[in-house]
Every structure is written in structure tokens, then in C-alpha cells.
Amino acid sequence: MGKDNVKLLSMWASPFCMRVKIALAEKDIVYEEILEEDLMNGKSELLLKSNPVHKQVPVLLHDDKPIVDSTNIITYIDEVWPEKPLFSACEYEKSRARFWADYIDRKVYPAGRAIWSSKETAEVEAAKKEFLDIMFYLDGTLGDKDFFNGDTFGFVDILLIGLTSWFPAYEKFGGFKLEDHYPKLAAWITRSWARESVSESLTSPEKITNFVAMMRKMYGIE
Ligand SMILES: N[C@@H](CCC(=O)N[C@@H](CS)C(=O)NCC(=O)O)C(=O)O
């Protein structure tokens, strides 16, 4: 089997799918995207069969073998297609990248979700504080570098930038602007979005913000 039979089970609003699309684009891998129509009301047989434990997108099908969980998928992609590596060759830097990847995975999306899904002002304020506290550490590790790795766009950049089309919704419903708190991090978002691999993989923030507004109505938040 060749290395080029690649499919991605995906959903347009999923930041975890967007991350994988960026990694595939960075590696110039040709793939077919298979979109799930409605994760809330009916998942495809292919998804249920491919990810029976979590039943979530993204799933990468490589020669019909499923690989699940976005960070695991991106690591797999980097190992199977080693050209244009996503990690530094230095073991110490690699370990730092894994640490920040884990931090981003545990923290960013749940904190953002808490902002838009909270009803009471005090809850929104607490969620906003938690989100900005997380950004504090990410801004600190980015420092004055162009990318988290240094000069090259890599693993940590992909994991975090994949989540950022949801950030304007967090800002809107949390009543804050990331750039007022962390201008370097905001500049990193702009710099990263200028890459074709990123802009072509991410759903527009406007579309995500409308989607979030629709969910807030559906959940009776407003
Ligand atoms: N840790 C997983 C999270 C994936 C995830 O949360 N996927 C969501 C879409 S954003 C999903 O499939 N939700 C459907 C469900 O949980 O039933 C990853 O990184 O891939």
C-alpha cells in the first residue's frame, strides 16, 4: 500500500479537525475530506466504526486504517511523512513542545467553551479570567519568537492556531480583546493566519461566531 491513500473524517466547525488539515497542508499531503453532516443528531457508520471509543472527529484514515485524536494524528503524520519536520531535532526542545501541546490540549478549548456557554456574569468573568491566565503562559513561552519553535512554524503552532477561529467568539461573548492583554500572542495569530496552510484550513471566525450564537440560543443562554 502506498502512503497516499489518505482520508479525513471531519466537521466544518471542529477546531480539532482544522488542526489536522493544517498539518496535512504543511506536509503537502493530498487527501479526501469526508464531512460529517450532523454530529449532534446522527453520526455516520464510518465514524462509529472508525472511532468506536470516543465517536468523535477528526479521524484520519490512512490506507483505510483509522488514527484518532487530533494531537495523536498530527504526531502520526509527522512520523509517517518526515519531510518538513514539525519538531526541532533537539530532544530538549521536543520535550518542551510536547509539554506545551499537552497544556494547550487540556486547557484552551474547555476554557473558551466556558466563556460562551456561561449564563451568569460572574461565571463569564471567571471563565474569561481562566482563559486569559492560560494565554499568559502561552504568551510567555512564545516570547519574542516568531513561532513557538523559534523561526519555523511547527507542532505547537499547529495545535494552538487550529483553535483560533473560535477566539473571536470568546472575545465577543466574554467582552475582551486578546490583543489588549497579549499583543505578541495576537501578532503570532495574525502571522500564522498569513500562511496558506492555515488560512485555507480554518473556518472563518465570522461563521464560527454565528454558529456559537446559534448554540447559545439553542441552550437558552440568550
Ligand atoms: N481530543 C479530541 C477532541 C475531538 C472532539 O472534541 N471532537 C468533537 C468535534 S469538535 C466531536 O466529534 N464531538 C462529537 C461528540 O463528542 O459526540 C481530539 O483532539 O481530536
Side-chain angles (χ1 to χ4, degrees), residues 14-16 19 39 43 55-58 69-71:
S14 166
F16 305 103
R19 285 173 161 178
L39 286 175
K43 294 172 179 171
K55 304 173 181 62
Q56 290 181 324
V57 291
D69 199 281
S70 59
T71 302

Side-chain angles (χ1 to χ4, degrees), residues 106-176:
R106 286 169 195 264
K107 299 282 190 177
V108 177
Y109 186 76
R113 189 186 161 85
I115 296 174
W116 68 258
S117 62
S118 295
K119 205 169 187 169
E120 305 303 327
T121 310
E123 283 170 10
V124 177
E125 284 306 308
K128 182 171 100 180
K129 181 178 179 316
E130 164 75 5
F131 184 81
L132 287 173
D133 285 351
I134 295 163
M135 294 300 124
F136 167 82
Y137 288 110
L138 292 172
D139 183 71
T141 191
L142 175 67
D144 291 318
K145 301 191 294 294
D146 275 355
F147 298 108
F148 284 89
N149 254 352
D151 291 339
T152 51
F153 182 80
F155 191 68
V156 176
D157 300 287
I158 292 177
L159 293 197
L160 186 59
I161 203 69
L163 309 180
T164 56
S165 53
W166 283 68
F167 281 21
Y170 307 156
E171 291 179 322
K172 178 178 162 96
F173 298 111
F176 70 98

Side-chain angles (χ1 to χ4, degrees), residues 80-111:
V80 173
W81 291 275
E83 257 181 61
K84 300 197 204 161
L86 300 179
F87 285 97
S88 155
C90 164
E91 291 301 335
Y92 176 71
E93 291 302 330
K94 229 187 251 181
S95 118
R96 279 177 59 81
R98 284 193 297 262
F99 170 83
W100 287 111
D102 182 61
Y103 183 78
I104 290 165
D105 273 352
R106 286 169 195 264
K107 299 282 190 177
V108 177
Y109 186 76

Side-chain angles (χ1 to χ4, degrees), residues 42-93:
K43 294 172 179 171
S44 73
E45 281 305 312
L46 184 57
L47 175 59
L48 297 174
K49 183 178 85 177
S50 305
N51 189 356
V53 177
H54 296 303
K55 304 173 181 62
Q56 290 181 324
V57 291
V59 176
L60 190 79
L61 294 166
H62 184 197
D63 293 337
D64 297 323
K65 293 193 299 279
I67 301 105
V68 302
D69 199 281
S70 59
T71 302
N72 182 44
I73 295 171
I74 295 166
T75 308
Y76 176 87
I77 290 171
D78 197 42
E79 287 170 352
V80 173
W81 291 275
E83 257 181 61
K84 300 197 204 161
L86 300 179
F87 285 97
S88 155
C90 164
E91 291 301 335
Y92 176 71
E93 291 302 330

